[in-house]
Amino acid sequence: MKSLLITTATVALLAVSSMSFASGADTSAGARTGDAVAYQIGKRVYATQFSCKSCPLSGKKLTKDSAKAILNGEPKVSLSDSDAQALATFLKRRFKL
């Protein structure tokens, strides 16, 4: 009887502990989608190419209108294709364009 109780308790404990790992969000992974990575790169591109101290939009607030202007090529800033795409992802997602 005593061994049956111990076995039952062990099985129940294993079931409960495995369920706790299976439920809820897994925040330990850190996997990021391509869109999230592009957003972060675009944010960096904006900070280093448009809003730095010597950049064309230095000291100006990024607004929906200025984001539209950037997407339309104003001000003229030379970017690689991948940086331009990441910047577009950042601006479009941030301002829901």
Side-chain angles (χ1 to χ4, degrees):
M1 181 73 162
K2 188 175 182 180
S3 65
L4 180 62
L5 184 59
I6 291 172
T7 303
T8 304
T10 303
V11 169
L13 182 61
L14 288 172
V16 169
S17 67
S18 67
M19 284 188 290
S20 68
F21 286 114
S23 65
D26 180 16
T27 58
S28 63
R32 297 174 64 177
T33 65
D35 216 29
V37 171
Y39 181 91
Q40 291 301 320
I41 293 170
K43 190 175 179 180
R44 178 191 48 81
V45 169
Y46 175 77
T48 60
Q49 300 295 317
F50 289 87
S51 69
C52 69
K53 285 186 179 182
S54 62
C55 292
L57 299 178
S58 176
K60 296 182 181 174
K61 183 176 171 110
L62 180 60
T63 64
K64 190 172 190 172
D65 289 335
S66 60
K68 287 179 184 178
I70 292 169
L71 289 171
N72 289 324
E74 292 298 327
K76 298 279 185 218
V77 174
S78 180
L79 299 174
S80 69
D81 287 341
S82 61
D83 282 352
Q85 289 174 346
L87 178 64
T89 298
F90 165 65
L91 296 172
K92 289 176 181 179
R93 285 185 61 196
R94 178 163 177 192
F95 293 103
K96 296 176 177 53
L97 299 174

